[in-house]
Coordinates of all heavy atoms in Angstrom, one line a residue:
M60 N -46.5 -12.6 -3.4 CA -45.2 -12.5 -3.1 C -45.0 -11.6 -1.9 O -45.5 -10.6 -1.9 CB -44.4 -12.0 -4.3 CG -42.8 -12.1 -4.1 SD -42.1 -11.7 -5.7 CE -40.9 -10.5 -5.1
R61 N -44.1 -12.2 -1.0 CA -43.9 -11.3 0.3 C -43.1 -10.1 -0.1 O -42.2 -10.1 -0.8 CB -43.1 -12.2 1.3 CG -44.1 -12.9 2.2 CD -43.4 -13.6 3.4 NE -41.9 -13.6 3.3 CZ -41.1 -14.2 4.1 NH1 -41.7 -14.8 5.1 NH2 -39.9 -14.0 4.0
E62 N -43.5 -9.0 0.7 CA -42.7 -7.7 0.5 C -41.4 -7.9 1.3 O -41.2 -8.3 2.4 CB -43.6 -6.6 1.2 CG -42.9 -5.2 0.7 CD -43.9 -4.2 1.3 OE1 -45.1 -4.5 1.5 OE2 -43.4 -3.1 1.6
L63 N -40.4 -7.3 0.6 CA -39.0 -7.5 1.1 C -38.9 -6.4 2.2 O -39.4 -5.4 2.2 CB -37.9 -7.3 0.0 CG -37.8 -8.3 -0.9 CD1 -36.8 -7.8 -2.1 CD2 -37.4 -9.6 -0.3
K64 N -38.1 -6.7 3.3 CA -37.9 -5.8 4.4 C -36.7 -4.9 4.0 O -35.7 -5.3 3.2 CB -37.5 -6.6 5.7 CG -38.7 -7.4 6.3 CD -38.2 -8.0 7.5 CE -39.5 -8.7 8.0 NZ -39.0 -9.5 9.3
S65 N -36.7 -3.8 4.5 CA -35.6 -2.8 4.3 C -34.5 -3.2 5.2 O -34.8 -4.0 6.2 CB -35.9 -1.4 4.5 OG -36.3 -1.2 5.8
S66 N -33.3 -2.8 5.1 CA -32.1 -3.2 5.8 C -32.3 -2.9 7.3 O -31.9 -3.6 8.2 CB -30.8 -2.6 5.3 OG -31.0 -1.2 5.3
H67 N -33.0 -1.8 7.6 CA -33.1 -1.4 9.1 C -34.1 -2.3 9.8 O -34.4 -2.1 11.0 CB -33.2 0.1 9.3 CG -34.4 0.8 8.6 ND1 -34.4 1.1 7.4 CD2 -35.7 0.8 9.1 CE1 -35.7 1.7 7.1 NE2 -36.4 1.5 8.2
Q68 N -34.9 -3.0 9.0 CA -35.9 -3.8 9.6 C -35.4 -5.3 9.9 O -36.1 -6.0 10.6 CB -37.2 -3.9 8.7 CG -37.9 -2.6 8.5 CD -39.0 -2.7 7.5 OE1 -38.8 -3.2 6.4 NE2 -40.2 -2.2 7.8
L69 N -34.3 -5.5 9.3 CA -33.7 -6.9 9.5 C -33.1 -7.0 10.9 O -32.6 -6.0 11.5 CB -32.7 -7.2 8.4 CG -33.2 -7.2 7.0 CD1 -32.0 -7.3 6.1 CD2 -34.1 -8.5 6.8
P70 N -33.1 -8.2 11.4 CA -32.4 -8.5 12.7 C -30.9 -8.2 12.6 O -30.4 -8.5 11.5 CB -32.7 -9.8 13.1 CG -33.2 -10.6 11.9 CD -33.6 -9.4 10.9
I71 N -30.3 -7.8 13.7 CA -28.9 -7.5 13.7 C -28.1 -8.8 13.6 O -28.3 -9.8 14.4 CB -28.4 -6.8 14.9 CG1 -29.1 -5.4 14.8 CG2 -27.0 -6.5 14.9 CD1 -28.9 -4.5 16.0
G72 N -27.3 -8.9 12.6 CA -26.4 -10.2 12.5 C -25.0 -9.8 12.9 O -24.6 -8.8 13.6
G73 N -24.1 -10.7 12.4 CA -22.7 -10.5 12.6 C -22.1 -9.4 11.8 O -22.5 -9.3 10.6
A74 N -21.5 -8.5 12.3 CA -21.0 -7.3 11.5 C -19.6 -6.9 12.0 O -19.3 -6.9 13.1 CB -21.9 -6.1 11.8
V75 N -18.8 -6.8 11.0 CA -17.4 -6.3 11.3 C -17.3 -4.9 10.9 O -17.4 -4.6 9.6 CB -16.4 -7.1 10.6 CG1 -14.8 -6.7 10.9 CG2 -16.4 -8.6 10.9
L76 N -17.1 -4.0 11.8 CA -17.1 -2.5 11.6 C -15.6 -2.0 11.2 O -14.7 -2.7 11.9 CB -17.7 -1.7 12.7 CG -19.2 -2.1 13.0 CD1 -19.6 -1.5 14.3 CD2 -20.0 -1.8 11.9
A77 N -15.5 -1.2 10.4 CA -14.1 -0.7 10.1 C -13.3 -0.4 11.3 O -12.2 -0.7 11.2 CB -14.3 0.5 9.2
Q78 N -13.9 0.2 12.3 CA -13.1 0.7 13.4 C -12.8 -0.5 14.3 O -11.8 -0.4 15.2 CB -13.9 1.8 14.2 CG -15.2 1.3 14.8 CD -16.3 1.7 13.8 OE1 -16.2 1.8 12.6 NE2 -17.6 1.9 14.3
S79 N -13.4 -1.6 14.2 CA -13.1 -2.8 15.0 C -12.3 -3.8 14.3 O -11.9 -4.9 14.8 CB -14.3 -3.4 15.6 OG -15.2 -3.9 14.7
A80 N -12.1 -3.6 13.0 CA -11.5 -4.7 12.2 C -10.0 -4.4 12.1 O -9.6 -3.4 11.7 CB -12.1 -4.6 10.8
E81 N -9.1 -5.4 12.6 CA -7.7 -5.3 12.5 C -7.3 -5.7 11.0 O -7.6 -6.8 10.7 CB -7.1 -6.2 13.5 CG -5.7 -6.3 13.4 CD -4.9 -5.0 14.0 OE1 -5.5 -4.3 14.7 OE2 -3.8 -4.8 13.6
P82 N -6.6 -4.8 10.3 CA -6.2 -5.1 9.0 C -5.2 -6.3 9.1 O -4.3 -6.2 9.9 CB -5.5 -3.9 8.4 CG -5.8 -2.9 9.3 CD -6.2 -3.4 10.7
P83 N -5.2 -7.3 8.2 CA -4.3 -8.4 8.3 C -2.9 -7.9 7.9 O -2.8 -7.1 7.0 CB -4.7 -9.5 7.3 CG -5.7 -8.6 6.4 CD -6.3 -7.6 7.1
H84 N -2.0 -8.3 8.7 CA -0.5 -7.9 8.3 C 0.1 -8.6 7.1 O 0.7 -9.5 7.3 CB 0.3 -8.1 9.6 CG 0.1 -7.0 10.6 ND1 1.0 -6.7 11.5 CD2 -1.0 -6.1 10.8 CE1 0.5 -5.6 12.3 NE2 -0.7 -5.3 11.8
T85 N -0.4 -8.1 6.0 CA 0.0 -8.9 4.6 C 1.4 -8.8 4.4 O 1.9 -9.5 3.4 CB -0.9 -8.4 3.5 OG1 -0.9 -6.9 3.6 CG2 -2.2 -8.9 3.6
G86 N 2.1 -8.0 5.2 CA 3.6 -8.0 4.9 C 4.3 -9.2 5.2 O 5.3 -9.6 4.7
G87 N 3.7 -10.1 5.9 CA 4.1 -11.5 6.2 C 4.0 -12.4 5.0 O 4.6 -13.6 5.0
W88 N 3.4 -12.1 4.0 CA 3.1 -12.8 2.8 C 4.3 -12.6 1.9 O 4.5 -13.3 0.9 CB 1.8 -12.4 2.1 CG 0.5 -12.6 2.8 CD1 0.5 -13.0 4.2 CD2 -0.7 -12.4 2.2 NE1 -0.9 -13.0 4.4 CE2 -1.6 -12.7 3.4 CE3 -1.3 -12.0 1.1 CZ2 -3.0 -12.5 3.3 CZ3 -2.6 -11.8 0.9 CH2 -3.5 -12.1 2.0
R89 N 5.2 -11.6 2.0 CA 6.2 -11.3 1.0 C 7.2 -12.5 0.9 O 7.6 -13.1 1.9 CB 7.2 -10.1 1.5 CG 6.5 -8.8 1.0 CD 7.3 -7.6 1.1 NE 8.3 -7.6 2.2 CZ 7.8 -7.0 3.4 NH1 6.7 -6.5 3.5 NH2 8.7 -6.9 4.3
V90 N 7.5 -12.7 -0.3 CA 8.5 -13.9 -0.6 C 9.5 -13.3 -1.5 O 9.4 -13.2 -2.7 CB 7.7 -15.0 -1.3 CG1 8.6 -16.2 -1.5 CG2 6.6 -15.5 -0.5
G91 N 10.6 -12.9 -0.9 CA 11.8 -12.7 -1.6 C 12.1 -11.3 -1.9 O 13.2 -10.7 -2.1
E92 N 11.0 -10.3 -2.3 CA 11.2 -9.0 -2.7 C 10.4 -8.0 -2.0 O 9.3 -8.4 -1.6 CB 10.9 -8.9 -4.2 CG 12.0 -9.7 -5.0 CD 12.0 -9.2 -6.5 OE1 10.8 -9.1 -7.0 OE2 13.0 -9.1 -7.2
K93 N 10.9 -6.8 -1.9 CA 10.0 -5.7 -1.4 C 10.5 -4.5 -2.2 O 11.4 -4.4 -2.8 CB 10.5 -5.4 0.0 CG 11.9 -5.1 0.3 CD 12.3 -5.1 1.8 CE 13.8 -4.9 1.9 NZ 14.2 -4.9 3.3
P94 N 9.6 -3.4 -2.2 CA 9.9 -2.2 -3.1 C 10.6 -1.3 -2.3 O 10.6 -1.1 -1.1 CB 8.4 -1.7 -3.2 CG 7.7 -2.1 -2.0 CD 8.2 -3.4 -1.6
R95 N 11.4 -0.5 -3.0 CA 12.0 0.8 -2.6 C 11.9 1.8 -3.4 O 11.6 1.6 -4.6 CB 13.5 0.5 -2.1 CG 14.4 0.3 -3.4 CD 15.4 1.3 -3.7 NE 16.2 1.0 -4.6 CZ 16.2 1.6 -6.0 NH1 15.2 2.4 -6.2 NH2 17.0 1.3 -6.7
V96 N 12.0 3.0 -3.0 CA 11.7 4.3 -3.9 C 12.9 5.1 -3.9 O 13.6 5.5 -3.0 CB 10.4 5.0 -3.5 CG1 10.6 5.7 -2.2 CG2 10.1 6.1 -4.5
Q97 N 13.2 5.6 -5.2 CA 14.3 6.5 -5.5 C 13.6 7.9 -5.4 O 12.9 8.3 -6.4 CB 14.9 6.3 -6.7 CG 16.2 7.0 -7.0 CD 17.3 6.5 -6.2 OE1 17.5 5.4 -6.0 NE2 18.0 7.5 -5.7
L98 N 13.7 8.7 -4.3 CA 12.8 9.9 -4.1 C 13.2 10.9 -5.2 O 12.2 11.7 -5.5 CB 13.0 10.4 -2.7 CG 12.4 9.5 -1.6 CD1 12.7 10.3 -0.3 CD2 10.8 9.6 -1.8
D99 N 14.4 11.0 -5.7 CA 14.6 12.2 -6.7 C 14.0 12.0 -8.0 O 14.0 12.9 -8.8 CB 16.1 12.5 -6.8 CG 17.0 11.2 -7.2 OD1 16.3 10.0 -7.3 OD2 18.1 11.2 -7.4
T100 N 13.4 10.7 -8.2 CA 12.8 10.3 -9.4 C 11.2 10.4 -9.2 O 10.5 10.1 -10.2 CB 13.3 9.2 -10.2 OG1 13.3 8.2 -9.2 CG2 14.6 9.5 -10.7
C101 N 10.8 10.5 -8.0 CA 9.3 10.4 -7.7 C 8.7 11.7 -8.1 O 9.2 12.9 -7.7 CB 9.0 10.1 -6.3 SG 7.4 10.3 -5.8
V102 N 7.6 11.7 -8.9 CA 6.9 13.0 -9.3 C 5.6 13.1 -8.6 O 4.7 13.9 -8.9 CB 6.7 13.1 -10.8 CG1 8.0 13.2 -11.6 CG2 5.9 11.9 -11.3
N103 N 5.4 12.3 -7.5 CA 4.1 12.3 -6.7 C 2.9 12.3 -7.4 O 2.0 12.9 -7.1 CB 4.2 13.7 -5.9 CG 3.5 13.6 -4.6 OD1 3.6 12.6 -3.8 ND2 2.5 14.6 -4.3
C104 N 2.9 11.3 -8.4 CA 1.6 11.2 -9.2 C 0.6 10.4 -8.4 O -0.6 10.3 -8.6 CB 1.9 10.5 -10.6 SG 2.5 8.8 -10.2
L105 N 1.2 9.6 -7.4 CA 0.3 8.8 -6.5 C -0.3 7.6 -7.1 O -1.3 7.0 -6.6 CB -0.7 9.5 -5.7 CG -0.2 10.7 -4.8 CD1 -1.3 11.4 -3.9 CD2 1.0 10.0 -3.9
L106 N 0.1 7.3 -8.3 CA -0.5 6.0 -9.1 C 0.0 4.7 -8.2 O -1.0 3.9 -8.1 CB 0.1 5.9 -10.4 CG -0.4 6.7 -11.6 CD1 0.4 6.4 -12.8 CD2 -1.8 6.4 -11.8
C107 N 1.0 4.7 -7.6 CA 1.4 3.6 -6.6 C 0.3 3.5 -5.5 O -0.2 2.5 -5.1 CB 2.7 3.7 -6.1 SG 3.1 5.2 -5.4
W108 N -0.1 4.6 -5.0 CA -1.2 4.6 -3.9 C -2.5 4.2 -4.4 O -3.2 3.3 -3.7 CB -1.2 6.0 -3.4 CG -2.2 6.2 -2.3 CD1 -2.2 5.8 -1.0 CD2 -3.4 6.9 -2.4 NE1 -3.3 6.3 -0.4 CE2 -4.0 6.9 -1.2 CE3 -4.0 7.7 -3.5 CZ2 -5.2 7.5 -0.9 CZ3 -5.2 8.3 -3.3 CH2 -5.8 8.2 -2.1
I109 N -2.8 4.6 -5.6 CA -4.1 4.0 -6.2 C -4.2 2.7 -6.3 O -5.2 2.0 -6.2 CB -4.4 4.9 -7.6 CG1 -4.6 6.4 -7.3 CG2 -5.6 4.4 -8.3 CD1 -4.6 7.2 -8.5
Y110 N -3.1 2.1 -7.0 CA -3.1 0.7 -7.5 C -2.7 -0.2 -6.3 O -3.0 -1.5 -6.5 CB -2.2 0.6 -8.6 CG -2.8 1.0 -9.9 CD1 -2.6 2.2 -10.4 CD2 -3.5 0.1 -10.5 CE1 -3.2 2.6 -11.6 CE2 -4.3 0.4 -11.7 CZ -4.1 1.7 -12.3 OH -4.7 2.1 -13.5
C111 N -2.0 0.1 -5.3 CA -1.5 -0.8 -4.3 C -2.8 -1.6 -3.7 O -3.7 -1.0 -3.1 CB -0.7 -0.2 -3.2 SG -0.4 -1.2 -1.8
P112 N -2.8 -2.9 -3.7 CA -4.0 -3.6 -3.2 C -4.1 -3.8 -1.7 O -5.0 -4.3 -1.1 CB -3.8 -4.9 -3.9 CG -2.3 -5.1 -4.1 CD -1.7 -3.8 -4.3
D113 N -3.1 -3.4 -1.1 CA -2.9 -3.5 0.4 C -2.9 -2.2 1.2 O -2.4 -2.3 2.4 CB -1.8 -4.6 0.7 CG -2.2 -6.0 0.5 OD1 -3.1 -6.5 1.2 OD2 -1.8 -6.4 -0.5
S114 N -3.1 -1.2 0.6 CA -3.0 0.2 1.3 C -1.6 0.3 1.9 O -1.5 0.8 3.0 CB -4.1 0.4 2.3 OG -5.3 0.3 1.6
A115 N -0.6 -0.2 1.3 CA 0.7 -0.2 1.9 C 1.7 1.0 1.6 O 2.7 1.2 1.8 CB 1.5 -1.4 1.6
I116 N 1.0 1.9 0.6 CA 1.7 3.2 0.3 C 1.3 4.3 1.3 O 0.1 4.5 1.4 CB 1.3 3.7 -1.1 CG1 1.5 2.4 -2.1 CG2 2.0 4.9 -1.4 CD1 3.0 2.2 -2.5
K117 N 2.3 4.8 1.9 CA 1.9 5.9 2.9 C 2.1 7.2 2.2 O 3.1 7.6 1.5 CB 2.9 5.8 4.2 CG 2.8 4.6 4.8 CD 3.6 4.5 6.1 CE 3.1 5.4 7.2 NZ 2.2 4.8 8.2
I118 N 1.1 8.0 2.5 CA 1.0 9.4 2.0 C 0.7 10.4 3.2 O 0.1 9.9 4.2 CB 0.1 9.6 0.9 CG1 -1.4 9.4 1.2 CG2 0.4 8.8 -0.3 CD1 -2.4 9.8 0.3
K119 N 1.1 11.5 3.1 CA 0.8 12.6 4.1 C 0.6 14.0 3.3 O 1.5 14.3 2.5 CB 1.9 12.8 5.0 CG 1.5 13.7 6.3 CD 2.5 13.7 7.4 CE 2.0 14.7 8.4 NZ 3.0 15.1 9.4
D120 N -0.6 14.6 3.6 CA -1.0 15.8 2.9 C -0.7 15.6 1.5 O -0.2 16.5 0.8 CB 0.0 17.0 3.4 CG -0.2 17.2 4.9 OD1 -1.3 16.9 5.4 OD2 0.7 17.6 5.5
E121 N -1.3 14.5 0.9 CA -1.3 14.2 -0.6 C 0.1 14.1 -1.1 O 0.3 14.3 -2.4 CB -2.0 15.3 -1.3 CG -3.5 15.4 -0.9 CD -4.3 16.3 -1.5 OE1 -3.9 16.9 -2.6 OE2 -5.5 16.6 -1.3
A122 N 1.0 13.8 -0.2 CA 2.4 13.6 -0.7 C 2.9 12.1 -0.4 O 2.5 11.6 0.6 CB 3.4 14.6 -0.1
F123 N 3.5 11.5 -1.3 CA 4.1 10.2 -1.3 C 5.2 10.1 -0.3 O 6.1 11.0 -0.2 CB 4.5 9.7 -2.6 CG 5.3 8.4 -2.5 CD1 4.5 7.2 -2.7 CD2 6.6 8.4 -2.4 CE1 5.2 6.0 -2.5 CE2 7.3 7.1 -2.4 CZ 6.5 6.0 -2.4
L124 N 5.0 9.2 0.7 CA 6.0 9.1 1.8 C 7.0 7.8 1.6 O 8.1 7.9 1.7 CB 5.3 9.0 3.1 CG 4.8 10.2 3.7 CD1 4.3 10.0 5.1 CD2 5.9 11.3 3.8
G125 N 6.2 6.7 1.3 CA 7.0 5.4 1.1 C 6.1 4.3 1.4 O 5.0 4.3 1.2
F126 N 6.7 3.2 1.9 CA 6.1 1.9 2.0 C 5.8 1.5 3.5 O 6.8 1.7 4.3 CB 6.7 0.9 1.3 CG 7.2 1.2 -0.1 CD1 8.4 1.6 -0.3 CD2 6.3 1.2 -1.1 CE1 8.8 2.0 -1.7 CE2 6.5 1.5 -2.4 CZ 7.8 1.9 -2.7
D127 N 4.6 0.9 3.7 CA 4.5 0.4 5.2 C 4.6 -1.2 4.9 O 3.8 -1.8 4.4 CB 3.0 0.7 5.6 CG 2.8 0.2 6.9 OD1 3.4 -0.8 7.5 OD2 1.8 0.7 7.6
Y128 N 5.8 -1.6 5.4 CA 6.2 -3.0 5.1 C 5.5 -4.0 6.0 O 5.4 -5.2 5.7 CB 7.7 -3.2 5.4 CG 8.5 -2.6 4.3 CD1 9.4 -1.5 4.6 CD2 8.4 -2.9 3.0 CE1 10.2 -0.9 3.7 CE2 9.2 -2.2 2.0 CZ 10.0 -1.1 2.4 OH 10.8 -0.6 1.3
D129 N 4.6 -3.5 6.9 CA 3.7 -4.4 7.6 C 2.5 -4.8 6.8 O 2.0 -6.0 7.0 CB 3.1 -3.6 8.9 CG 4.1 -3.6 10.0 OD1 5.1 -4.3 10.1 OD2 3.8 -2.7 10.9
Y130 N 2.3 -4.2 5.7 CA 1.2 -4.5 4.9 C 1.5 -4.7 3.5 O 0.8 -5.2 2.6 CB 0.1 -3.3 5.0 CG -0.5 -3.1 6.5 CD1 -0.1 -2.1 7.2 CD2 -1.3 -4.0 7.0 CE1 -0.4 -2.0 8.4 CE2 -1.7 -4.0 8.2 CZ -1.3 -2.8 8.9 OH -1.7 -2.8 10.3
C131 N 2.7 -4.3 3.1 CA 3.2 -4.6 1.7 C 3.5 -6.1 1.4 O 4.3 -6.7 2.1 CB 4.5 -3.9 1.4 SG 5.4 -4.4 0.0
K132 N 2.7 -6.6 0.6 CA 2.9 -8.1 0.4 C 3.8 -8.4 -0.7 O 4.0 -9.6 -1.2 CB 1.5 -8.8 0.2 CG 0.8 -8.3 -1.2 CD -0.5 -9.1 -1.1 CE -1.3 -8.6 -2.3 NZ -2.7 -8.9 -2.3
G133 N 4.5 -7.4 -1.4 CA 5.6 -7.6 -2.4 C 5.1 -8.1 -3.8 O 5.9 -8.7 -4.4
C134 N 4.0 -7.6 -4.2 CA 3.4 -8.0 -5.5 C 4.0 -7.3 -6.6 O 3.9 -7.8 -7.7 CB 1.9 -7.6 -5.4 SG 1.4 -5.9 -5.4
G135 N 4.6 -6.1 -6.3 CA 5.2 -5.5 -7.5 C 4.4 -4.6 -8.3 O 4.9 -4.0 -9.4
I136 N 3.1 -4.5 -8.0 CA 2.3 -3.6 -8.8 C 2.8 -2.2 -8.9 O 2.7 -1.4 -9.9 CB 0.8 -3.8 -8.3 CG1 0.3 -5.1 -8.6 CG2 0.0 -2.7 -9.0 CD1 -1.1 -5.5 -8.0
C137 N 3.2 -1.6 -7.7 CA 3.6 -0.3 -7.7 C 4.8 0.0 -8.6 O 4.9 1.0 -9.2 CB 4.0 0.2 -6.3 SG 5.2 -1.1 -5.4
Q138 N 5.8 -1.0 -8.7 CA 6.7 -0.9 -9.6 C 6.3 -0.8 -11.1 O 6.7 -0.1 -11.8 CB 7.8 -2.1 -9.4 CG 8.8 -2.2 -10.6 CD 9.7 -3.2 -10.4 OE1 10.9 -3.3 -9.9 NE2 9.4 -4.4 -10.9
E139 N 5.3 -1.6 -11.3 CA 4.7 -1.6 -12.8 C 4.0 -0.4 -13.1 O 4.1 0.0 -14.3 CB 3.7 -2.8 -12.9 CG 4.3 -4.2 -12.7 CD 5.2 -4.5 -13.8 OE1 4.9 -4.1 -14.9 OE2 6.4 -5.0 -13.5
V140 N 3.3 0.2 -12.2 CA 2.6 1.4 -12.6 C 3.3 2.8 -12.5 O 2.9 3.8 -13.0 CB 1.2 1.5 -11.7 CG1 0.4 0.3 -12.0 CG2 1.5 1.7 -10.3
C141 N 4.5 2.8 -11.7 CA 5.2 4.0 -11.4 C 5.8 4.4 -12.8 O 6.5 3.8 -13.6 CB 6.4 3.7 -10.6 SG 7.4 5.2 -10.3
P142 N 5.3 5.7 -13.2 CA 5.8 6.1 -14.6 C 7.2 6.6 -14.8 O 7.6 6.7 -15.8 CB 4.8 7.3 -14.8 CG 4.5 7.8 -13.5 CD 4.6 6.6 -12.6
T143 N 7.8 6.8 -13.6 CA 9.2 7.3 -13.7 C 10.3 6.1 -13.4 O 11.5 6.5 -13.4 CB 9.3 8.5 -12.8 OG1 9.3 8.0 -11.4 CG2 8.4 9.6 -13.1
G144 N 9.8 5.0 -13.0 CA 10.8 4.0 -12.5 C 11.3 4.3 -11.2 O 12.4 3.8 -10.8
A145 N 10.7 5.2 -10.4 CA 11.2 5.5 -9.0 C 11.1 4.2 -8.1 O 11.9 4.2 -7.2 CB 10.4 6.7 -8.5
I146 N 10.2 3.4 -8.4 CA 10.1 2.2 -7.5 C 10.7 1.0 -8.2 O 10.5 0.8 -9.3 CB 8.6 1.9 -7.2 CG1 7.8 3.1 -6.4 CG2 8.4 0.5 -6.4 CD1 6.4 2.9 -6.3
K147 N 11.6 0.3 -7.3 CA 12.2 -0.9 -7.8 C 12.0 -2.0 -6.7 O 12.0 -1.7 -5.5 CB 13.7 -0.8 -8.0 CG 14.0 0.1 -9.1 CD 14.7 -0.5 -10.3 CE 15.1 0.3 -11.5 NZ 14.2 1.3 -11.9
M148 N 11.8 -3.2 -7.2 CA 11.7 -4.3 -6.2 C 13.1 -4.7 -6.0 O 13.9 -4.9 -6.8 CB 10.8 -5.4 -6.8 CG 9.4 -5.1 -7.1 SD 8.5 -4.5 -5.7 CE 8.1 -6.1 -4.8
V149 N 13.5 -5.0 -4.7 CA 14.7 -5.4 -4.3 C 14.6 -6.6 -3.4 O 13.5 -6.9 -2.9 CB 15.5 -4.1 -3.7 CG1 15.7 -3.0 -4.6 CG2 14.8 -3.8 -2.4
A150 N 15.9 -7.2 -3.2 CA 15.9 -8.3 -2.2 C 15.3 -8.1 -0.9 O 15.7 -7.0 -0.3 CB 17.3 -8.8 -2.2
E151 N 14.6 -9.0 -0.4 CA 13.9 -8.7 1.0 C 15.1 -8.5 1.9 O 14.9 -7.8 2.9 CB 13.2 -10.0 1.3 CG 12.5 -10.0 2.6 CD 11.4 -9.0 2.8 OE1 10.6 -8.9 1.7 OE2 11.3 -8.3 3.8
A152 N 16.2 -9.2 1.7 CA 17.3 -9.1 2.9 C 18.0 -7.8 2.8 O 18.8 -7.5 3.7 CB 18.3 -10.3 2.6
L153 N 17.8 -6.9 1.7 CA 18.5 -5.7 1.6 C 18.0 -4.8 2.7 O 16.7 -4.6 2.8 CB 18.3 -5.1 0.3 CG 19.0 -3.9 -0.1 CD1 20.6 -4.3 -0.4 CD2 18.6 -3.3 -1.4
V154 N 18.9 -4.3 3.5 CA 18.6 -3.2 4.6 C 18.2 -2.0 4.0 O 19.0 -1.3 3.2 CB 19.5 -3.2 5.7 CG1 19.2 -2.2 6.8 CG2 19.8 -4.6 6.3
L155 N 17.0 -1.4 4.2 CA 16.7 -0.1 3.6 C 16.3 1.0 4.7 O 16.0 0.5 5.9 CB 15.4 -0.3 2.8 CG 15.4 -1.1 1.5 CD1 14.1 -1.3 0.9 CD2 16.4 -0.5 0.6
P156 N 16.4 2.2 4.3 CA 15.9 3.3 5.3 C 14.4 3.1 5.6 O 13.7 2.4 4.9 CB 16.2 4.6 4.7 CG 17.1 4.3 3.5 CD 16.9 2.8 3.1
P157 N 14.0 3.7 6.8 CA 12.5 3.6 7.0 C 11.7 3.9 5.8 O 12.0 4.9 5.0 CB 12.4 4.7 8.2 CG 13.7 4.6 8.8 CD 14.7 4.4 7.6
L158 N 10.6 3.3 5.6 CA 9.6 3.5 4.5 C 10.3 3.2 3.1 O 9.7 3.6 2.0 CB 9.0 4.9 4.6 CG 8.3 5.3 5.9 CD1 8.0 6.9 5.8 CD2 7.1 4.5 6.1
G159 N 11.4 2.7 3.0 CA 12.0 2.2 1.8 C 12.5 3.4 1.0 O 12.6 3.4 -0.3
R160 N 12.9 4.6 1.6 CA 13.1 5.8 0.9 C 14.6 5.9 0.7 O 15.3 5.9 1.7 CB 12.7 7.0 1.8 CG 11.1 7.1 1.9 CD 10.8 8.1 3.2 NE 11.4 9.4 3.0 CZ 10.7 10.4 2.5 NH1 9.4 10.3 2.2 NH2 11.2 11.6 2.5
I161 N 15.0 6.1 -0.6 CA 16.3 6.3 -0.9 C 16.5 7.8 -1.3 O 15.8 8.2 -2.4 CB 16.7 5.5 -2.1 CG1 16.5 3.9 -1.8 CG2 18.2 5.6 -2.5 CD1 17.2 3.3 -0.6
E162 N 17.3 8.5 -0.7 CA 17.3 10.0 -0.9 C 18.1 10.4 -2.0 O 17.9 11.2 -2.8 CB 17.7 10.6 0.4 CG 16.9 10.3 1.7 CD 15.6 11.2 1.8 OE1 15.5 12.1 1.0 OE2 14.8 10.9 2.6
G163 N 19.4 9.8 -2.1 CA 20.3 10.2 -3.1 C 20.5 9.1 -4.3 O 20.4 7.9 -3.8
E164 N 20.7 9.5 -5.4 CA 20.8 8.5 -6.6 C 21.9 7.5 -6.3 O 21.8 6.3 -6.6 CB 21.1 9.3 -7.8 CG 20.6 8.6 -9.1 CD 20.8 9.6 -10.2 OE1 20.7 10.7 -10.1 OE2 20.9 8.8 -11.3
S165 N 23.0 7.9 -5.7 CA 24.1 7.0 -5.5 C 23.8 5.8 -4.5 O 24.5 4.8 -4.5 CB 25.4 7.7 -5.0 OG 25.0 8.3 -3.7
D166 N 22.7 6.0 -3.6 CA 22.4 5.1 -2.7 C 21.5 3.9 -3.3 O 21.2 2.9 -2.7 CB 21.5 5.7 -1.5 CG 22.3 6.6 -0.7 OD1 23.6 6.4 -0.6 OD2 21.8 7.5 -0.3
A167 N 21.1 4.0 -4.5 CA 20.2 3.2 -5.2 C 20.7 1.6 -5.2 O 21.9 1.5 -5.6 CB 19.7 3.5 -6.7
G168 N 19.9 0.7 -4.8 CA 20.4 -0.6 -4.7 C 19.9 -1.4 -5.9 O 19.0 -1.0 -6.6
Ligands
SF4_430 S1 4.7 -4.3 -3.7 FE1 3.9 -2.2 -3.9 S2 1.7 -2.4 -4.8 FE2 2.5 -4.5 -3.8 S3 1.6 -4.5 -1.8 FE3 3.7 -3.6 -1.8 S4 3.5 -1.5 -1.9 FE4 1.6 -2.4 -2.6
SF4_431 S1 3.9 6.0 -8.8 FE1 6.2 6.5 -8.8 S2 6.3 8.7 -9.3 FE2 4.2 8.2 -8.7 S3 3.9 8.7 -6.5 FE3 4.5 6.5 -6.7 S4 6.8 6.5 -6.6 FE4 6.2 8.5 -7.0

């Protein structure tokens, strides 16, 4: 049996490197609904960030910021895993503040 080559002995083939790969704008897949967050009920557990399949949850310094609608495909998983009900799926046509952040309870749609 022939001995297998190690990876660095193989000829270079097609490779897509992280720094050269443009992430697909999955936000264009949304049909009908998008998430918004009620910030006063967010406890920063970051479960939404862990479970979001499209890296559409934005965080900074380990703090939840909101949604990147260019990549959010509207699957609703973040709403399902949010333990406090801070995330709600709302109609796509609803105009929201940047990142889908609702600051005051009375603003909730
Ligand atoms: S709906 Fe939530 S979990 Fe789904 S892609 Fe958008 S931000 Fe991520
Ligand atoms: S899952 Fe809910 S409570 Fe946790 S960080 Fe996300 S929005 Fe906040």
